[in-house]
Amino acid sequence: EAGVAQSPRYKIIEKRQSVAFWCNPISGHATLYWYQQILGQGPKLLIQFQNNGVVDDSQLPKDRFSAERLKGVDSTLKIQPAKLEDSAVYLCASSQNTGNNEKLFFGSGTQLSVL
Amino acid sequence: GNSVTQMEGPVTLSEEAFLTINCTYTATGYPSLFWYVQYPGEGLQLLLKATKADDKGSNKGFEATYRKETTSFHLEKGSVQVSDSAVYFCALNSGNTPLVFGKGTRLSVIA
């Protein structure tokens, strides 16, 4: 079974530039998550999709971050404009459904450095 | 709101030593508890879970028991190996709330 695919693996940009990350979840998984993991901290949820609808985006800085999941499969996360504090690993995860006991499958992440 | 507190690392152990990584939680309702592991260069993966009080999750020689009375879910392994070197995250969710992670504990096992 193919895992969660993310690209690019690394990205270096200057502040105020824009950047986009891509995620392809495991086939058939209805729920997709984007997490931000700042160095030395645990992952923090940015946005959760169920199919192509947003379930939770309460912690997404909407003035600069946006995400979409067209057709309920692939997803992109965009930052525009980037700030220094956005330097982090951006993790995509998927699960079959939402719920207490759902196992999340994570991609390897995109490491973003904002200079 | 929900939160997880786990012991600060890094933890450095010799091979075959006993491992404990402490984790305590605050949650509304009846949370499910998880340990995720992140090996170098890889994504997070589920190590074990427990969904109700007194449940014991286990996998790859690791164990953790859901203790409601102490709101804890400590991770243990009787004899660690070099291949266990990784970052370990305690996490929980309850109801329809998203998974909340602790800050992670880095474990280094030396031969």
Side-chain angles (χ1 to χ4, degrees):
Chain A
E1 172 180 84
V4 176
Q6 288 189 248
S7 67
R9 188 75 177 89
Y10 303 94
K11 190 74 179 177
I12 300 173
I13 61 172
E14 295 188 349
K15 60 183 179 184
R16 291 189 288 273
Q17 287 186 321
S18 59
V19 64
F21 313 126
W22 173 81
C23 173
N24 187 1
I26 291 173
S27 177
H29 279 194
T31 309
L32 185 147
Y33 313 78
W34 283 102
Y35 280 84
Q36 180 192 57
Q37 185 178 9
I38 292 173
L39 188 65
Q41 299 184 21
K44 183 187 84 171
L45 181 71
L46 291 175
I47 189 166
Q48 177 183 344
F49 292 94
Q50 177 76 6
N51 297 309
N52 60 352
V54 175
V55 174
D56 185 343
D57 64 356
S58 57
Q59 298 193 82
L60 187 73
K62 298 180 187 62
D63 57 334
R64 298 183 302 104
F65 285 65
S66 64
E68 60 183 10
R69 192 183 183 197
L70 299 175
K71 302 179 183 177
V73 182
D74 292 9
S75 177
T76 55
L77 176 70
K78 296 179 182 176
I79 308 174
Q80 183 181 6
K83 292 186 175 181
L84 296 177
E85 59 260 36
D86 298 332
S87 294
V89 177
Y90 291 85
L91 298 168
C92 180
S94 69
S95 62
Q96 283 195 309
N97 281 297
T98 57
N100 238 21
N101 302 323
E102 283 294 324
K103 177 179 176 180
L104 269 62
F105 294 81
F106 283 84
S108 297
T110 296
Q111 185 170 327
L112 174 67
S113 297
V114 182
L115 307 178
Chain B
N2 296 343
S3 67
V4 172
T5 303
Q6 59 182 107
M7 64 186 282
E8 301 247 345
V11 174
T12 303
L13 295 173
S14 297
E15 228 174 1
E16 300 183 4
F18 185 85
L19 169 72
T20 301
I21 301 178
N22 290 338
C23 171
T24 57
Y25 66 88
T26 303
T28 54
Y30 302 95
S32 293
L33 302 174
F34 306 82
W35 278 99
Y36 277 79
V37 59
Q38 189 171 33
Y39 297 103
E42 298 184 18
L44 279 157
Q45 54 187 277
L46 180 66
L47 180 60
L48 54 85
K49 71 176 185 181
T51 58
K52 61 183 189 296
D54 300 324
D55 265 5
K56 179 186 283 188
S58 61
N59 186 24
K60 299 182 181 181
F62 290 88
E63 292 183 341
T65 302
Y66 188 142
R67 301 282 187 206
K68 194 164 185 283
E69 63 276 13
T70 54
T71 62
S72 65
F73 193 55
H74 304 323
L75 182 68
E76 297 182 336
K77 186 173 185 181
S79 176
V80 293
Q81 305 300 313
V82 172
S83 56
D84 294 326
S85 297
V87 183
Y88 293 82
F89 293 90
C90 187
L92 71 84
N93 64 9
S94 63
N96 288 322
T97 61
L99 203 57
V100 172
F101 288 87
K103 291 187 176 182
T105 303
R106 181 176 298 278
L107 170 67
S108 296
V109 181
I110 52 178

